[in-house]
């Protein structure tokens, strides 16, 4: 039942009184319960005055609930709770063992005593085959009115329905606060002896009840017991944990949480064997429904991240580190939970080892027009059939590359229109594409250029849409405008460009659902430059980009963050290795990285006490990654004459994803291009 999960969250049951109406508890023989018994523990039978009892049953049950975490014996479910032991068996004199009997008038008096002495939970590991007397029903009604949860063993006869009073779990007078409890075996199935859920299915839950270790003492070791008598106190302890950890909960809320988070077993849903299912405290201590964080502007923000959302690689893993986005939120039961909003911004993949292009085929045709103009049509399509376009639209798979290009050259004027999808790469217009054009991942672009002598002035605009998981309607992901100036001379060329990038789904290649509370619509102004020049017998090339980004979200804000990317390379002839390769390329580069930027967020602070009013604090923290990814690549190209060109590449990435200490990543790729 995963009690270790609430233990790890600090839940102990401390301050919660659990009444055990049973055969009494002899604490002297049970050191595991030392300090657990309330001073108000009693013998409810008038004049008998023997609260220790003559049967071990009450001690066994109480030990399941509250055995102390003391380095000895076993551990109770709510190991710091208080046991209010109420002896109510009618035995006089010698021990009654496991066959003690209880009169309705006595158990009714025990319920009233428990209510009067502050019990939040009452456990009754007892029952019979006939309905209970009116005085018992009145007492049970009083417990319900007081909001006390009553856990009752279902019985050990293997019948289709629980015994009484467990069967009152679905009686409209008591529903929601009376719980019928069946027993599971160690393998997780219902124990053969346990009565089934039957007519009480909606108020029935199953907890461990076979081969239970309990009642440990220094002389005789521990008892190993079986029966629904020992599954009911498991649920009583679980309720105590919830009430202590989340003091705003009512008893009815606690029962509802245990029922709704139980592991489904048997037939789907609530069934006549397992009822609501198997008790699962790990799930019970997770938020139910939408977890919401209060906004400083009023209202609340749901913080459940949709599938597939990531923050751009330029941020590395910095957002997931530190305590800048630690806050508190409430679930559907208004329970208070610690929340790390950084979990909404999972880092994307590193950029280094992207491999060779996806297999595709391309064709083009150029037409000479009047006045020396030229019209070029080009297309790219995948080898073989495309994948299911409906699944592609739903965002489950990336489409194979395909594109179409229309280019018109009239004297010094050039016009280009391009549309693509999947992994199709836009054409390089006037030079290599800079980091911000690559981040935009356009699926449409328009470009124009005007050449005057050795200078060319250019303009480009691109747009992209991105499919979201489980959505057939792609969303606008980016748009950019870019103006450039290029210079070309024999053996040397250079260009510089200015641009503006808008990303409604998040900054620098992030994929966050638009119009959601954690969306970060961003704008980036950028500058890029590149050049190529001969150096001895080599060709030297380099490029660099720098940008300034700002975004405003409901959670996170950023002003003036600086990002950069650069690339340097050498190209040379293979010389004596001509049979192996014609040219070689050595390149070192840094993918786009956030160099500096302070984010801010105003969020609720964790209260010192559970019911303290919400206070907001502003947090400021750097988003610069902890590492710097540097990629070293060595490539060899060989002409295969009429069979095209083959390329082999070896790539190594250090601090991949801009994460400090990331292991060295090495990859190899090969590609082959040929035309006919």
């Amino acid at each position: 039942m995963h009690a270790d999960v609430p233990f790890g969250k600090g839940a102990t049951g401390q301050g919660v009184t659990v009444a055990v109406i049973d055969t009494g508890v002899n604490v002297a023989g049970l050191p595991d319960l030392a300090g657990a018994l309330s001073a108000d523990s009693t013998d409810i039978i008038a004049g008998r005055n023997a609260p220790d009892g003559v049967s071990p049953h009450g001690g066994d049950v109480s030990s399941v609930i509250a055995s102390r975490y003391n380095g000895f014996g076993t551990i109770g479910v709510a190991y710091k709770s208080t046991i209010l032991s109420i002896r109510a068996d009618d035995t006089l004199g010698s021990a009654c063992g496991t066959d003690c009997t209880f009169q309705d008038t006595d158990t009714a008096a025990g319920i009233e005593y428990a209510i009067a002495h502050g019990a939040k939970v009452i456990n009754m590991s007892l029952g019979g085959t006939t309905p209970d007397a009116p005085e018992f029903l009145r007492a049970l009604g009083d417990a319900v009115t007081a909001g006390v949860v009553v856990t009752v063993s279902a019985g050990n006869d293997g019948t289709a329905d629980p015994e009484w009073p467990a069967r009152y779990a679905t009686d409209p007078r008591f529903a929601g606060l009376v719980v019928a409890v069946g027993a599971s075996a160690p393998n997780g199935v219902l124990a053969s002896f346990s009565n089934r859920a039957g007519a009480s299915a909606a108020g029935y839950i199953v907890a461990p009840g076979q081969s239970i270790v309990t009642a440990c003492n220094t002389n005789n070791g521990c008892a190993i017991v079986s029966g629904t008598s020992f599954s009911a106190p498991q649920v009583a302890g679980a309720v105590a944990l919830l009430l202590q950890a989340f003091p705003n909960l009512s008893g009815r809320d606690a029962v509802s949480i245990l029922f709704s988070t139980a592991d489904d077993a048997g037939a789907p849903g609530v069934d006549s064997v397992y009822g609501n299912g198997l008790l699962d405290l790990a799930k019970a201590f997770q938020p139910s429904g939408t977890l919401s964080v209060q906004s400083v502007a009023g209202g609340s923000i749901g913080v459940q991240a949709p599938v597939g959302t990531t923050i751009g690689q330029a941020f590395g893993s910095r957002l997931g580190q530190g305590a800048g986005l630690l806050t508190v939120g409430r679930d559907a039961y208004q329970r208070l939970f610690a929340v790390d909003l950084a979990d909404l911004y999972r880092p994307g993949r590193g950029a280094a080892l992207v491999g060779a292009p996806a297999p595709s085929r391309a064709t083009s045709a150029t037409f000479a027009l009047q006045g020396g103009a030229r019209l070029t049509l080009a297309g790219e399509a995948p080898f073989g059939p495309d994948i299911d376009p409906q699944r592609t639209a739903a965002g489950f798979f990336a489409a194979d590359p395909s594109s179409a290009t229309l280019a018109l050259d009239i004297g010094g004027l050039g016009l280009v229109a391009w549309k693509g999808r999947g992994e199709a790469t836009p054409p390089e217009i006037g030079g290599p594409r800079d980091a911000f054009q690559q981040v935009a991942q356009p699926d449409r672009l328009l470009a124009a250029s005007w050449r005057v002598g050795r200078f060319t002035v250019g303009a480009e605009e691109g747009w992209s849409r991105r499919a979201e998981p489980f959505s057939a309607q792609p969303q606008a992901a980016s748009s950019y405008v870019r103006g450039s100036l290029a210079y070309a001379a024999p053996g040397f060329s250079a260009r510089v460009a200015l641009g503006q990038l808008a990303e409604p789904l998040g900054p620098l290649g992030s994929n966050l659902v638009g119009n959601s509370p954690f969306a970060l619509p961003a704008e980036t102004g950028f500058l890029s430059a590149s050049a190529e020049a001969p150096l001895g017998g080599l060709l030297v090339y380099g490029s660099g980009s720098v940008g300034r980004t700002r975004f405003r979200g409901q959670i996170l804000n950023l002003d003036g963050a600086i990002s950069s990317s650069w690339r340097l390379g050498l190209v040379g002839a293979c010389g004596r290795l001509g049979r192996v390769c014609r040219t070689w390329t050595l390149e070192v580069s840094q993918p786009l990285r956030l160099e500096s930027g302070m984010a801010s967020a105003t969020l609720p602070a964790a209260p010192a006490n559970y019911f303290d009013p919400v206070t907001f604090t502003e947090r400021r923290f750097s988003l610069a990654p902890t590492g710097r990814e540097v990629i070293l690549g060595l490539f060899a190209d060989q002409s295969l004459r009429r069979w095209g060109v083959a390329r082999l590449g070896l790539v190594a990435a250090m601090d991949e994803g801009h994460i400090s200490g990331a292991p060295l990543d090495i990859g190899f790729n090969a590609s082959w291009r040929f035309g006919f």
Side-chain angles (χ1 to χ4, degrees), residues 427-473:
E428 293 186 348
I429 302 171
R433 300 182 64 77
D434 64 42
F436 297 96
Q437 289 174 298
Q438 294 173 15
V439 157
Q441 296 180 312
D443 51 37
R444 294 165 292 157
L445 68 80
L446 295 173
S449 61
W450 179 255
R451 186 177 66 255
V452 180
R454 293 183 176 181
F455 291 91
T456 301
V457 179
E460 182 179 320
E461 185 170 10
W463 308 265
S464 73
R465 296 185 304 163
R466 193 172 301 160
E468 296 297 331
F470 310 108
S471 172
Q473 297 298 323

Side-chain angles (χ1 to χ4, degrees), residues 1 400 539:
M1 59 192 242
D400 289 329
L539 174 68

Side-chain angles (χ1 to χ4, degrees), residues 47-463:
R48 186 171 56 185
N49 195 27
D52 291 351
V54 292
S55 165
H57 191 271
D60 293 350
V61 168
S62 298
S63 184
V64 170
I65 299 170
S67 284
R68 280 351 200 194
Y69 195 173
N70 55 8
F72 165 80
T74 186
I75 302 168
V77 180
Y79 59 86
K80 285 190 178 180
S81 63
T82 298
I83 297 295
L84 177 63
S85 174
I86 303 173
R87 184 185 176 192
D89 64 279
D90 62 2
T91 305
L92 296 175
S94 60
C96 54
T98 58
D99 296 320
C100 302
T101 57
F102 297 82
Q103 303 300 320
D104 283 350
T105 53
D106 298 329
T107 51
I111 293 172
E112 298 290 3
Y113 185 88
I115 298 169
H117 288 81
K120 299 296 184 183
V121 189
I122 297 173
N123 184 84
M124 292 193 292
S125 292
L126 50 86
T129 58
T130 58
D132 295 278
E135 53 265 46
F136 178 88
L137 298 183
R138 281 194 296 271
L140 196 59
D142 290 341
V144 169
T145 300
V148 178
V149 177
V150 183
T151 55
V152 191
S153 55
N156 303 325
D157 298 319
T159 59
D161 295 297
E163 292 182 339
W164 309 89
R167 205 179 299 188
Y168 292 121
T170 49
D171 188 310
R173 295 171 293 179
F174 317 119
L177 283 166
V178 175
V179 183
V181 187
S184 61
N187 61 2
V189 302
L190 195 73
S192 59
F193 58 78
S194 177
N195 290 359
R196 279 51 175 158
S200 302
Y204 181 102
I205 194 169
V206 180
Q210 184 173 320
S211 300
I212 302 300
V213 178
T214 187
C216 298
N217 62 62
T218 53
N219 297 321
N220 302 316
C222 303
I224 299 178
V225 295
S226 296
T228 57
S229 282
F230 311 106
S231 56
Q234 310 273 10
V235 177
V239 172
L241 290 179
L242 284 170
L243 295 180
Q244 176 254 324
F246 307 106
N248 65 297
L249 288 181
S250 67
R252 195 178 300 273
D253 289 338
V255 172
S256 175
I257 289 168
L258 293 182
F259 284 172
S260 63
T261 59
D263 283 333
D264 197 13
V270 178
D271 67 271
S272 61
V273 177
Y274 288 88
N276 289 282
L278 302 170
L279 179 65
D280 188 336
L281 282 172
K283 292 180 181 178
F285 274 76
Q286 294 173 356
S288 296
T290 300
L291 186 62
S292 298
V293 172
Q294 191 168 337
S295 168
V296 69
S300 59
I301 300 171
V303 295
Q304 184 173 0
V307 175
T309 58
T310 56
I311 194 74
Q313 185 231 346
F315 294 87
S317 60
R318 188 61 178 267
L319 261 175
Q321 300 172 342
L325 292 178
L326 285 176
T327 183
V328 289
R330 295 189 182 274
D331 71 350
Y333 290 92
Q334 294 301 301
R335 290 186 291 175
L336 199 62
F337 285 90
V339 181
D340 189 355
L341 295 180
D343 292 340
L344 300 177
Y345 303 106
R346 294 181 286 267
R349 292 173 50 198
L353 307 180
V354 294
S360 64
R361 54 185 178 180
T363 188
S364 65
T366 301
F367 304 90
L369 306 178
Q370 291 183 353
R374 291 181 303 160
L375 176 67
T376 300
L377 303 176
E380 178 188 15
F383 277 124
D386 195 3
I387 61 176
D388 184 346
Q390 291 183 343
R391 291 188 296 172
T392 298
F396 288 103
F397 302 94
D400 289 329
S402 61
S403 66
T405 305
L406 173 65
L408 179 63
D409 291 294
I410 308 172
L413 176 65
L415 301 173
V416 177
W418 175 86
K419 184 175 182 180
R421 72 166 186 162
E423 298 178 356
T425 302
E428 293 186 348
I429 302 171
R433 300 182 64 77
D434 64 42
F436 297 96
Q437 289 174 298
Q438 294 173 15
V439 157
Q441 296 180 312
D443 51 37
R444 294 165 292 157
L445 68 80
L446 295 173
S449 61
W450 179 255
R451 186 177 66 255
V452 180
R454 293 183 176 181
F455 291 91
T456 301
V457 179
E460 182 179 320
E461 185 170 10
W463 308 265

Side-chain angles (χ1 to χ4, degrees), residues 353 585-587 631-636 647-653 665-670:
L353 307 180
T585 302
L586 179 64
E587 181 180 281
I631 305 170
L632 182 65
L634 178 62
F635 307 94
R647 163 170 277 209
L648 301 179
L650 180 65
V651 182
D665 205 350
I666 299 175
F668 174 80
N669 62 55

